[in-house]
Amino acid sequence: MTIEASTPLGSKIVRPFEVTNRLMLAITIPVMLASLTTPLLGLVDTAVIGQLGDAHLLGGLAIGALVFDFLFSTMNFLRSGTTAMVAQAMGRHDDVEQQAVFWRAIGIAAVVGVLFIAATPLILSATIGFMDPDSAVTSAMSTYVSIRLLSSPMALGNFVVLGLLLGQGKAMQGLYLQLLLNGVNVVMTIWLGLVMDWGVTGIAWGTVLGESVALVIGLFMIHRQFRAVANPTQARILDVHEIRRMFTVNRDIMLRSFLLLIAYAYFTRAGTQAGAVTLATNAVLMNFLLISGYLIDGVTTAAEQISGRAVGAHYRPAFDRGVKLSFLWGMALAMVMATFFFVFGNSIVAFLIKSNEVQSMASHYLPWAAMAPVAGLLAFHMDGVFIGATWSRDMRNMMILSLLGYFAAYFILPFYFGNHGLWLALHLFLGLRGLSLLSLLPSRARVQFAD
């Protein structure tokens, strides 16, 4: 709800949206549902290759998927950074700046996407050098990566489209686009991979087609929206100050994402050094944290949009209530997930892997994995608040501090407590991230909303 009051000089003070549970859930639920469709793609790809009965193809697909997890996870700032800046422009009731933010971000997406395609030989060489797969796996991986890299401009463009819609609070439209993207991907993967018997080639082209169709439809939707309001001039889009601000925020978010990947990579590395059974156990249990992240992403995105909109409107009450409600909904969701994992965790592990040794060990470490959603909630939540407010430098710095603390625990605790120590180090890392940002929140908010 928008309330306007006139000052003695006749100017208007805009008191923006009231933050309600309904507003929170209108963003949270669609984003949560959209996020849940992402793991489905990996399952479909694996199932298609599994029908072909060639382990080398599955290995090539797995390595290829890791390549794109790394490339696109580090570029996720195109989604979150766009959401934050569009939400702030929305809070200021600046429709022109919302468009300008979109065109700046789409320009970055196009340039980076083309660079990814041009760097295909380098990406393949680095992957082969790091993973050292055999020739059959290398061939499958190279085919998959080379084709799927062609979709880079479209994939990154979809990040920007989704960021704009979420920044405007249009989460249902974002859900429809994600369902379209993933639906086309699944159908074409099955058709090309199985029916046409193209194998890995078909799976890769299925992804390219899914990304392309979603971007075309998304751009059409946005064109219709932009047509109804004034358009920014080229000078406004290319404003040096705003471009520099966008690059600064996006750089910090990208670095934060990269450091997070490093933390998870070292967790996997420690399991590798402890032996195959421990590696498999940790890998299976780590899925509990990853699934939690997908679900909590809805609350995180709501925190981004509402905090960004409140900052843009310079309206502290909406900011404070948004922070409070998003945390409460996130904690409720985290507790539900933790309870679910405690009750059904062993059954999930038994379904995912048939090894008795792994099942036995997983039961031993299940409490750590089950409590991961609760341990990580504050970190996920604070990330959303700080991204929405574009306090990206603080988020980057606290990630560096938390990673240093994680490495200290990582190299000490497993020596005394084995794999329990490794899981404890991960929980400490999650806790440090959340608490360090929370400690900065009052002072940052006080400065941001000072009269």
Side-chain angles (χ1 to χ4, degrees):
M1 182 175 72
T2 303
I3 303 172
E4 295 182 346
S6 296
T7 66
L9 297 178
S11 61
K12 291 182 178 180
I13 301 172
V14 180
R15 296 198 179 280
F17 62 104
E18 179 185 356
V19 179
T20 63
N21 288 310
R22 182 177 180 179
L23 174 63
M24 186 70 56
L25 294 178
I27 300 172
T28 297
I29 293 175
V31 173
M32 187 169 64
L33 293 175
S35 296
L36 285 176
T37 64
T38 301
L40 174 64
L41 297 179
L43 292 175
V44 171
D45 289 352
T46 301
V48 169
I49 289 298
Q51 299 303 308
L52 302 178
D54 188 337
H56 294 98
L57 296 179
L58 187 57
L61 179 66
I63 295 175
L66 286 175
V67 171
F68 289 99
D69 283 345
F70 177 80
L71 290 177
F72 291 161
S73 291
T74 55
M75 298 302 297
N76 192 52
F77 64 80
L78 287 169
R79 201 285 297 161
S80 54
T82 302
T83 295
M85 293 185 177
V86 168
Q88 291 186 11
M90 184 180 181
R92 297 192 300 271
H93 300 277
D94 190 342
D95 294 335
V96 175
E97 181 60 20
Q98 291 179 47
Q99 296 179 62
V101 169
F102 173 80
W103 291 119
R104 292 178 201 125
I106 209 75
I108 296 173
V111 170
V112 174
V114 171
L115 289 176
F116 278 173
I117 295 174
T120 297
L122 180 62
I123 292 170
L124 290 175
S125 178
T127 303
I128 293 169
F130 181 73
M131 301 300 292
D132 193 25
D134 63 36
S135 59
V137 172
T138 296
S139 176
M141 181 275 296
S142 298
T143 298
Y144 178 78
V145 171
S146 297
I147 295 172
R148 192 176 165 190
L149 275 172
L150 297 175
S151 73
S152 296
M154 287 76 82
L156 299 180
N158 283 319
F159 283 3
V160 177
V161 170
L162 182 60
L164 173 75
L165 294 174
L166 294 179
Q168 295 174 327
K170 298 176 180 177
M172 283 303 299
Q173 291 187 25
L175 172 60
Y176 297 149
L177 279 178
Q178 288 301 107
L179 291 176
L180 174 67
L181 189 160
N182 294 333
V184 172
N185 193 339
V186 167
V187 171
M188 296 310 299
T189 291
I190 294 173
W191 172 258
L192 296 175
L194 280 182
V195 179
M196 300 298 292
D197 198 26
W198 287 9
V200 170
T201 300
I203 291 175
W205 279 115
T207 302
V208 173
L209 290 171
E211 297 283 4
S212 300
V213 170
L215 182 60
V216 170
I217 299 301
L219 290 176
F220 175 73
M221 291 168 53
I222 289 170
H223 170 70
R224 292 185 62 186
Q225 177 192 143
F226 286 173
R227 190 174 57 185
V229 295
N231 297 314
T233 63
Q234 183 176 0
R236 177 76 175 267
I237 295 172
L238 299 178
D239 181 273
V240 174
H241 172 74
E242 291 299 329
I243 290 176
R244 185 182 298 117
R245 177 172 176 255
M246 174 174 279
F247 271 103
T248 298
V249 171
N250 289 345
R251 177 202 63 202
D252 293 338
I253 296 174
M254 182 175 67
L255 181 58
R256 164 259 183 193
S257 299
F258 180 71
L259 294 177
L260 185 60
L261 287 174
I262 288 178
Y264 290 158
Y266 267 85
F267 181 85
T268 302
R269 180 176 179 269
T272 303
Q273 295 174 334
V277 175
T278 302
L279 172 62
T281 298
N282 287 349
V284 171
L285 292 178
M286 192 64 171
N287 283 310
F288 293 3
L289 177 59
L290 298 179
I291 291 170
S292 302
Y294 283 123
L295 290 169
I296 294 175
D297 190 49
V299 176
T300 302
T301 302
E304 285 179 30
Q305 201 275 341
I306 293 171
S307 62
R309 191 173 170 188
V311 165
H314 200 69
Y315 189 50
R316 179 70 183 267
F319 180 85
D320 289 342
R321 184 159 173 78
V323 170
K324 178 182 177 180
L325 280 185
S326 56
F327 177 78
L328 291 176
W329 277 107
M331 180 55 71
L333 185 59
M335 291 298 294
V336 168
M337 286 187 288
T339 302
F340 178 83
F341 291 146
F342 268 116
V343 175
F344 299 105
N346 287 324
S347 299
I348 295 171
V349 172
F351 174 77
L352 292 173
I353 193 161
K354 301 305 179 185
S355 168
N356 291 329
E357 284 185 287
V358 173
Q359 291 179 20
S360 177
M361 182 177 285
S363 178
H364 196 51
Y365 297 109
L366 177 63
W368 290 110
M371 288 303 297
V374 177
L377 171 66
L378 186 59
F380 303 147
H381 175 249
M382 285 291 104
D383 276 352
V385 172
F386 275 67
I387 288 174
T390 58
W391 300 332
S392 58
R393 184 176 63 178
D394 293 322
M395 188 176 65
R396 177 202 66 196
N397 291 344
M398 293 305 100
M399 173 61 83
I400 294 172
L401 177 66
S402 300
L403 190 63
L404 292 175
Y406 170 64
F407 280 136
Y410 176 91
F411 288 110
I412 295 173
L413 295 178
F415 180 79
Y416 292 101
F417 305 107
N419 202 46
H420 283 292
L422 179 62
W423 278 98
L424 176 57
L426 180 64
H427 278 246
L428 289 174
F429 171 62
L430 295 171
L432 279 173
R433 285 180 56 212
L435 291 172
S436 60
L437 290 173
L438 180 62
S439 69
L440 296 177
L441 181 61
S443 60
R444 292 295 179 267
R446 188 165 52 251
V447 172
Q448 182 71 54
F449 294 99
D451 293 332

